[in-house]
């Protein structure tokens, strides 16, 4: 991998981490408990509880991605960065730019 590609990837990771931090804060606000004394109707309250569940799932997913990106940023200078953990081939730069947290090539990821 070329040094300028690593710089581009590092910038991409930092941008994604920054966006995820904002998303996580927003989702934490949306996953606050739904108060039973809230003056909304029964159906509206059920919708609010359902939306809370959806937001909680999204929050968990964002937190996992955030953690993976932090790990990728930490390991970016490693010789193994950008190599598939299953087959060992170099992951295409396009995949790394789109999903810098990916540790597997497309073939290995689709066969898992």
């Amino acid at each position: 991998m070329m040094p300028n590609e690593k710089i581009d990837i590092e910038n991409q990771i930092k941008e994604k981490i920054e966006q995820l931090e904002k998303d996580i804060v927003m989702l934490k606000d949306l996953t606050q408990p739904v108060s039973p004394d809230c003056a909304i109707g029964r159906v509206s309250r059920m919708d609010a509880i359902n939306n809370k569940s959806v937001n909680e799932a999204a929050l968990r997913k964002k937190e996992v991605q955030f953690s993976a990106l932090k790990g990728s940023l930490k390991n970016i200078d490693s010789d193994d960065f950008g190599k598939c953990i299953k087959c060992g081939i170099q992951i295409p730069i396009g995949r790394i730019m789109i999903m810098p947290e990916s540790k597997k090539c497309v073939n290995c990821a689709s066969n898992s």
Side-chain angles (χ1 to χ4, degrees):
M1 185 176 302
M2 305 298 283
N4 62 336
E5 290 175 332
K6 278 197 177 185
I7 292 169
D8 290 344
I9 292 168
E10 185 175 3
N11 291 335
Q12 181 75 4
I13 292 172
K14 287 177 180 177
E15 286 176 21
K16 285 186 179 241
I17 286 173
E18 187 177 311
Q19 183 59 49
L20 281 171
E21 286 173 336
K22 292 175 187 174
D23 292 346
I24 288 170
V25 168
M26 179 195 65
L27 286 168
K28 282 184 178 181
D29 286 342
L30 293 173
T31 57
Q32 295 299 314
V34 179
S35 176
D37 61 340
C38 195
I40 55 178
R42 183 176 150 270
V43 174
S44 297
R45 181 163 159 59
M46 289 173 63
D47 282 342
I49 291 170
N50 184 47
N51 289 340
K52 180 180 178 289
S53 297
V54 170
N55 289 327
E56 285 172 340
L59 176 61
R60 284 190 300 274
K61 185 177 178 182
K62 299 274 185 188
E63 288 174 333
V64 167
Q65 185 181 15
F66 179 80
S67 177
L69 284 169
K70 285 288 213 181
S72 293
L73 188 59
K74 184 176 134 189
N75 296 325
I76 198 163
D77 291 324
S78 166
D79 291 337
D80 291 332
F81 181 79
K83 291 184 181 176
C84 177
I85 60 170
K86 191 169 182 183
C87 69
I89 66 166
Q90 185 68 37
I91 299 171
I93 191 72
R95 177 169 173 80
I96 295 174
M97 288 301 287
I98 293 171
M99 293 180 61
E101 71 275 14
S102 59
K103 296 185 188 295
K104 294 182 183 176
C105 67
V106 174
N107 287 337
C108 292
S110 64
N111 291 334
S112 308

